[in-house]
Amino acid sequence: MPRQATLKDVAAKAGVRPETVSKVVNRKAHVSPETEARIRQAIRELGYRPNVAARNLRARQSRMIGYSWRPVPAGQFNPILDQFLQSMVEVAGQAGYHLLPFPCPPDHAQVEAYQELVDTNRVDGFILSSTNVDDQRIAYLQKIQFPFIAFGRANTDWDFPHIDVDGTAGLRAATEHLLDRGHRRIAAIAWPEDSLTGTLRLQGYGEAMASASLSLDPAWIARGEHSAAFGHLAATQLLDLPPERRPTALVALSDLMAIGAMHAIQDRGLEVGRDVAVTGFDDTPMAQYLRPPLTTLRQPVWESGRRAIAMLLQLLRGEPLPEQYVLLKPELIVRESSGE
Amino acid sequence: MPRQATLKDVAAKAGVRPETVSKVVNRKAHVSPETEARIRQAIRELGYRPNVAARNLRARQSRMIGYSWRPVPAGQFNPILDQFLQSMVEVAGQAGYHLLPFPCPPDHAQVEAYQELVDTNRVDGFILSSTNVDDQRIAYLQKIQFPFIAFGRANTDWDFPHIDVDGTAGLRAATEHLLDRGHRRIAAIAWPEDSLTGTLRLQGYGEAMASASLSLDPAWIARGEHSAAFGHLAATQLLDLPPERRPTALVALSDLMAIGAMHAIQDRGLEVGRDVAVTGFDDTPMAQYLRPPLTTLRQPVWESGRRAIAMLLQLLRGEPLPEQYVLLKPELIVRESSGE
DNA sequence: AACGATTGCGCCAACGATTGCGTAATGATA
DNA sequence: TATCATTACGCAATCGTTGGCGCAATCGTT
């Protein structure tokens, strides 16, 4: 099998020097039309493709973008990953970049993992998803001034470019939708207080309730781990409240918790949608197949991926970012779990 | 910001030549203990890491493995991707390799996409998933003798290393499980005849029915597109059969179709599990949250990923493969949809 | 003491592409 | 024909790492 043609081979065939070919390929210098034609012909005949390792060595870059995500525990879903990867690969590819995915290593090994990729010149920048408060990855990359875009927020006093889905607006929309349908006693099934995303989402619920001038019963906010089991437990306890305090609608911070809540309602012989309304968050693929189908908030996954890469590419080109922070609105998908 | 230290910097600090440092790093030559200590000290102090681009250029390799998968249409799930990526990244990482994911481009552009990655030396090998009969990617990579491992089979007369989940054994197990529970009229909800995976799975159903000496009613095999809607339609038609031919159990080739079938049964006022048993395939995360939870076949995703990479690494090292073809058995997960 | 064998490490030449500079050839102008 | 600007392309160096070769110093053996 003949090895891949190099600049030298093309040059020999076209009767010029390798540098000239390089200049034609990169449109860097003026070359006479005839020479250019001869060179292009040779390139075509030999099927020449520039060797990326050589290019990268010379240019001190890798044309690779690291993507780190936090894998979900077994039994849960990651409905985002497939689409998110696709959208990023597509946009990055158009600019000649490829993705290098790696699941977040355990906390103590995180910084080393990033250091490795940075120091060996394997990646030019990063996309981080599932960010945390006090996220070590963000702290490290900021310290060494390495280009990255986060998908999610972190400490409010940290200043770094990021994209996020506006969970506050999402829960406000879900709550308002329930208010529109006449509900007045609406409870929330939420995450622990240390979750940033959870706090932001819950805030939207609070805002909607406040602007409808409804007083909030403290018992209406249930906090617990992100699981269907907790959704079930929380809903059960909420339905156990005395009639005048018992909620007629539940907003859950995720589809997974909404599923648990739906089951709790059904276990009690009540009908979801008619007796108690339920909404979720994520629009996981299964939301549409539940009975009744789940009203939920769809994250603009595709858009997020595109924007994140587009922003990172700007950083890599050394251009200033028009917007450091991007907040995208999720879309309320109304299905039967929230009534008629 | 000081740029990353190179061999030259380390050499200068340790008072030797760069090549010597390289030899120490790669354990290639004998160096006196004192010199080695001095060099290692310098490496530590400067935080030296070999530049991958330079290494790759020299070694004519990339230490990258291309992974191509067929993205699922919107509204469906890809429960595999997250775990599969994780398992591959982990094993590859231990051998100093990274993954380069790219969704399958549209059919006509497939070969070009692979050519690009091969010709520019961006990847050393490929993992292909969701293979097809007459798969162009396989044909191309075989033609140019480029290392790859397929996850899935293709034409029976093509000879290439692959891993697959034994769908035949899976459906045999599901069908036998239903036979054990006393069912005699068992129908299958299957894919079109041109699907290789579908044909193999259906075969397992046929085998189990045959070895129980049950005659197969041709009406018991429904074929259609892979969707919940088709599952619903097929189940409805099966339940419309006259009582003596009406199946008491349905094996579906996927969880998605099983969901449709469950809904059809419920729409008719029947109870899944008690009146009609249902099984799926995939153990998508949602299977456990359905009501009743779905009996299904769990694919050994983690194991597949590890094995696929391990095999590819052997090819890349030029070692012969102990097994060209690996068939992994799926695990039957019994839940309530198949009865008590 | 003379010999070959071993060890430790320096030197050179790649790997393939890119870049700034230099220069020969061309054409225009006085 | 001499001068100058412009065009087209060659020259040499560089990016960081590695493999092969060779030389000097050291060691053991007779």
Side-chain angles (χ1 to χ4, degrees), chain A residues 280-296:
Chain A
F281 200 116
D282 285 339
D283 194 29
T284 49
M286 70 174 291
Q288 63 187 303
Y289 298 119
L290 294 170
R291 306 216 105 180
L294 180 64
T295 291
T296 186

Side-chain angles (χ1 to χ4, degrees), chain A residues 10-292:
Chain A
V10 175
K13 185 156 192 131
V16 292
R17 311 226 60 221
E19 307 80 276
T20 310
V21 178
S22 166
K23 280 164 189 166
V24 167
V25 171
N26 300 296
R27 301 190 168 65
K28 272 296 170 65
H30 289 246
V31 173
S32 72
E34 312 88 71
T35 316
E36 171 154 0
R38 246 183 20 255
I39 292 176
R40 295 216 174 274
Q41 173 71 12
I43 289 179
R44 234 172 300 119
E45 283 175 21
L46 295 172
Y48 165 77
R49 301 286 181 106
N51 176 309
V52 295
R55 267 198 170 162
N56 292 344
L57 172 59
R58 181 66 224 221
R60 297 158 175 284
Q61 52 161 24
S62 64
R63 306 223 132 223
M64 284 275 165
I65 294 173
Y67 171 58
S68 98
W69 82 100
R70 199 177 305 278
V72 298
Q76 289 190 20
F77 12 77
N78 190 340
I80 306 279
L81 188 62
D82 191 322
Q83 268 191 66
F84 200 53
L85 272 182
Q86 263 185 75
S87 59
M88 291 197 295
V89 168
E90 185 183 302
V91 182
Q94 287 162 4
Y97 280 81
H98 291 269
L99 238 57
L100 189 156
F102 62 110
C104 277
D107 281 352
H108 68 275
Q110 282 200 14
V111 170
E112 283 107 281
Y114 285 76
Q115 224 168 12
E116 166 82 25
L117 292 172
V118 170
D119 289 350
T120 59
N121 242 280
R122 224 186 230 302
V123 302
D124 295 343
F126 285 102
I127 303 286
L128 310 179
S129 67
S130 17
T131 55
N132 258 348
V133 172
D134 291 330
D135 199 302
Q136 288 308 301
R137 306 172 293 170
I138 298 179
Y140 175 68
L141 293 176
Q142 269 214 300
K143 196 184 77 189
I144 63 167
Q145 299 191 38
F146 201 78
F148 74 100
I149 302 287
F151 185 62
R153 284 165 269 181
N155 307 31
T156 45
D157 57 331
W158 288 6
D159 182 39
F160 60 94
H162 61 253
I163 291 193
D164 205 359
V165 170
D166 192 342
T168 307
L171 254 95
R172 201 188 310 118
T175 310
E176 281 168 357
H177 162 70
L178 294 169
L179 290 166
D180 281 352
R181 297 242 160 138
H183 294 278
R184 286 299 170 265
R185 297 196 301 276
I186 304 175
I189 302 181
W191 295 333
E193 304 210 1
D194 62 3
S195 155
L196 179 61
T197 305
T199 306
L200 290 166
R201 291 191 187 174
L202 193 59
Q203 198 178 313
Y205 158 78
E207 287 175 15
M209 294 298 276
S211 58
S213 316
L214 292 175
S215 64
L216 259 185
D217 189 324
W220 290 349
I221 295 184
R223 287 179 187 275
E225 57 154 30
H226 183 216
S227 70
F230 178 73
H232 192 283
L233 176 70
T236 304
Q237 292 176 344
L238 286 164
L239 295 176
D240 275 340
L241 288 173
E244 70 281 6
R245 293 174 61 199
R246 184 184 308 144
T248 62
L250 307 175
V251 293
L253 258 58
S254 75
D255 285 0
L256 191 60
M257 290 172 125
I259 289 168
M262 284 173 67
H263 290 171
I265 294 165
Q266 289 162 347
D267 286 347
R268 210 160 260 238
L270 298 175
E271 195 177 307
V272 174
R274 191 180 45 116
D275 301 320
V276 184
V278 175
T279 68
F281 200 116
D282 285 339
D283 194 29
T284 49
M286 70 174 291
Q288 63 187 303
Y289 298 119
L290 294 170
R291 306 216 105 180

Side-chain angles (χ1 to χ4, degrees), chain B residues 43-329:
Chain B
I43 289 179
R44 234 172 299 118
E45 283 176 21
L46 294 172
Y48 167 77
R49 302 285 181 107
N51 177 309
V52 294
R55 268 201 170 162
N56 292 343
L57 172 58
R58 183 64 226 226
R60 298 158 175 286
Q61 51 160 26
S62 64
R63 307 221 132 224
M64 284 275 164
I65 295 173
Y67 170 59
S68 99
W69 83 100
R70 199 178 305 278
V72 298
Q76 290 190 20
F77 13 76
N78 190 340
I80 305 281
L81 187 62
D82 191 322
Q83 268 192 64
F84 201 53
L85 272 183
Q86 265 186 72
S87 59
M88 292 196 295
V89 168
E90 186 183 300
V91 181
Q94 287 162 3
Y97 280 81
H98 291 270
L99 236 57
L100 189 156
F102 62 110
C104 277
D107 282 352
H108 67 275
Q110 282 200 11
V111 170
E112 284 107 279
Y114 285 76
Q115 224 168 11
E116 167 82 24
L117 292 171
V118 170
D119 289 351
T120 60
N121 241 280
R122 225 185 227 302
V123 301
D124 295 342
F126 285 103
I127 303 285
L128 311 179
S129 66
S130 18
T131 54
N132 257 347
V133 172
D134 291 330
D135 198 303
Q136 288 308 299
R137 305 171 295 170
I138 298 179
Y140 175 68
L141 293 175
Q142 271 214 300
K143 197 184 77 189
I144 64 166
Q145 300 191 35
F146 200 77
F148 74 100
I149 302 287
F151 185 62
R153 284 166 270 183
N155 307 31
T156 45
D157 59 330
W158 287 7
D159 181 41
F160 60 94
H162 62 253
I163 290 192
D164 206 359
V165 170
D166 191 342
T168 306
L171 254 97
R172 202 187 309 119
T175 311
E176 282 167 357
H177 163 70
L178 293 169
L179 289 166
D180 282 352
R181 298 243 159 138
H183 293 278
R184 287 297 168 269
R185 296 196 303 275
I186 304 174
I189 303 181
W191 294 334
E193 305 210 359
D194 61 4
S195 155
L196 180 61
T197 305
T199 305
L200 290 166
R201 291 190 186 173
L202 193 58
Q203 198 178 311
Y205 157 78
E207 287 174 15
M209 294 298 276
S211 57
S213 315
L214 292 175
S215 64
L216 259 185
D217 190 323
W220 290 348
I221 296 182
R223 289 179 187 273
E225 56 154 31
H226 182 217
S227 71
F230 178 73
H232 192 284
L233 177 69
T236 304
Q237 292 177 345
L238 286 163
L239 296 175
D240 276 340
L241 287 173
E244 69 283 4
R245 292 174 61 199
R246 184 185 308 146
T248 62
L250 306 175
V251 293
L253 259 58
S254 75
D255 285 0
L256 191 60
M257 290 171 125
I259 290 168
M262 284 174 67
H263 290 172
I265 293 165
Q266 290 162 346
D267 286 347
R268 208 161 261 239
L270 298 174
E271 195 179 307
V272 173
R274 190 180 45 116
D275 300 322
V276 184
V278 175
T279 68
F281 199 117
D282 284 339
D283 193 30
T284 49
M286 70 175 291
Q288 62 187 304
Y289 298 119
L290 294 170
R291 305 215 103 180
L294 180 64
T295 292
T296 185
L297 290 148
R298 179 180 299 165
Q299 310 209 33
V301 179
W302 198 271
E303 173 75 3
S304 315
R306 303 177 76 90
R307 296 282 292 261
I309 294 289
M311 286 169 72
L312 185 57
L313 289 175
Q314 288 196 291
L315 284 185
L316 293 179
R317 283 192 292 261
E319 298 169 12
L321 286 180
E323 323 172 76
Q324 279 265 96
Y325 317 121
V326 175
L327 261 190
L328 299 173
K329 290 233 182 314

